[in-house]
Amino acid sequence: MAQFRLQGSKVLAVDMTGDAVKAKNGAMVAYDGRMAFKKMSGGGEGLRGMVTRRLTGEQMEVMEVKGEGTCYFADRASEINLVNLRGEKLYVEASNLLCTDAALRTGTTFTGLRGASQGNGLFTTTVEGTGQAALTSDGPAVVLRVTRDAPLQVDPGAYVAHTGDLRQHFQSGVNFRTFMGEGSGEAFQIRFEGEGLVYVQPSERNTIGGEV
């Protein structure tokens, strides 16, 4: 299995000995050894949903990297976070998914109003199985624990990913911009209930999601 490690906080190094990984197209910045790159256009293990998922008017493209040596990945100097999966499912915004073990199954899940509010489709990418995944965030991500006694409210623009037995509810509310008089309309939040972890970035992506 490919070995993921961080080279600093903004570059992912993946050591491969004949293994393969799936990565965001164009995210490779360097490699040593022998590597083969293949652009993936959909089909197989739910990839069609991830590859063709609409993301703020764009399509996300994925490539397979296979070989022997070390391949380095980065995305616009974003911070990189490693997640170890042991049979559970990771829900992640497609724009924040940098690289996964090829053995991990990827697909999409319907998220309803939360996705619609952001204007970037109605689906969230899922990653499932045993292996590693690398997520990007605008600034160092914060991992927040949700328990049955302590639900969590998250701004849609700051949401990166979550794992565990969590239920999502889309609700109206207020945010910092509303208090400052900068809001252009009603603010919305995602409420997480149950048991699990939520990854949040300390910056809001440019969407119409926080307010409609």
Side-chain angles (χ1 to χ4, degrees):
M1 183 176 291
Q3 299 298 311
F4 286 35
R5 55 187 173 87
L6 292 181
Q7 196 83 8
S9 64
K10 300 180 180 181
V11 176
L12 170 69
V14 181
D15 300 316
M16 289 181 276
T17 55
D19 315 285
V21 296
K22 291 177 287 190
K24 180 179 292 187
N25 194 44
M28 187 276 294
V29 295
Y31 71 89
D32 59 50
R34 294 179 299 171
M35 297 288 167
F37 301 86
K38 182 175 69 175
K39 185 176 179 179
M40 307 184 77
S41 58
E45 297 186 2
L47 272 170
R48 183 179 303 277
M50 185 173 73
V51 173
T52 61
R53 174 179 181 251
R54 211 176 89 185
L55 176 66
T56 59
E58 299 177 353
Q59 289 184 342
M60 178 183 177
E61 297 179 337
V62 177
M63 63 180 176
E64 180 187 71
V65 183
K66 184 176 183 179
E68 297 182 356
T70 302
C71 197
Y72 299 88
F73 301 95
D75 185 20
R76 294 172 296 180
S78 298
E79 299 283 333
I80 299 174
N81 314 271
L82 297 183
V83 179
N84 292 305
L85 297 176
R86 297 178 177 83
E88 66 265 40
K89 183 180 291 187
L90 171 73
Y91 299 82
V92 56
E93 285 297 304
S95 59
N96 296 102
L97 182 59
L98 178 66
C99 186
T100 70
D101 279 316
L104 291 173
R105 299 181 300 278
T106 51
T108 56
T109 187
F110 183 72
T111 57
L113 290 174
R114 184 183 66 80
S117 74
Q118 293 185 43
N120 62 358
L122 296 173
F123 297 89
T124 290
T125 298
T126 59
V127 182
E128 185 175 11
T130 298
Q132 287 187 294
L135 313 181
T136 60
S137 58
D138 187 2
V142 178
V143 184
L144 303 174
R145 180 170 296 278
V146 181
T147 66
R148 301 193 186 282
D149 296 327
L152 179 71
Q153 276 73 228
V154 176
D155 188 298
Y159 169 81
V160 172
H162 74 270
T163 61
D165 183 18
L166 293 176
R167 298 179 301 280
Q168 301 177 61
H169 303 284
F170 182 70
Q171 64 181 30
S172 60
V174 294
N175 62 15
F176 181 72
R177 286 176 296 173
T178 304
F179 282 120
M180 295 298 293
E182 297 177 359
S184 59
E186 186 177 13
F188 294 89
Q189 301 171 343
I190 314 167
R191 179 182 174 90
F192 289 93
E193 298 177 349
E195 299 279 348
L197 300 174
V198 179
Y199 293 76
V200 177
Q201 63 185 8
S203 175
E204 294 180 321
R205 63 178 62 86
N206 294 323
T207 71
I208 62 171
E211 300 166 344
V212 176

